[in-house]
């Protein structure tokens, strides 16, 4: 579940960011001489951000897993 939600969030975030960058290139084209043809993409910063998101997701899974191990889910289900 974390993999699906996390990867969907990264993909949607990158797509929306690309659309906003394209729109800003069109809007701000008149301010620059010559206008930019393509947006400057800081690949190292994007890779770092995606890496930080992945580390955050792994930390969340680890915390949730540790909390769930303390619960006696199977014994509670057997009692019902």
């Amino acid at each position: 579940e974390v993999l699906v939600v996390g990867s969907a969030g990264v993909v949607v975030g990158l797509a929306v960011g690309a659309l906003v960058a394209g729109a800003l290139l069109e809007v701000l084209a008149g301010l620059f001489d010559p206008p930019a043809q393509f947006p400057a993409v800081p690949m190292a910063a994007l890779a770092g951000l995606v890496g930080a998101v992945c580390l955050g997701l792994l930390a969340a899974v680890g915390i949730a897993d540790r909390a769930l191990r303390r619960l006696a889910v199977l014994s509670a289900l057997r009692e019902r």
Side-chain angles (χ1 to χ4, degrees):
E1 182 178 352
V2 170
L3 179 64
V4 171
V5 172
S7 61
V10 168
V11 169
V12 169
L14 290 174
V16 168
L19 290 173
V20 169
L24 284 174
L25 276 179
E26 293 295 321
V27 170
L28 298 175
L31 296 177
F32 299 103
D33 187 36
Q37 296 296 321
F38 301 102
V41 179
M43 294 305 276
L46 283 177
L49 184 62
V50 170
V53 167
C54 290
L55 287 176
L57 291 173
L58 285 174
V61 167
I63 292 168
D65 184 47
R66 191 168 9 159
L68 286 175
R69 285 181 192 209
R70 288 187 224 159
L71 296 176
V73 175
L74 292 178
S75 63
L77 289 175
R78 288 183 188 140
E79 290 176 8
R80 290 184 181 193

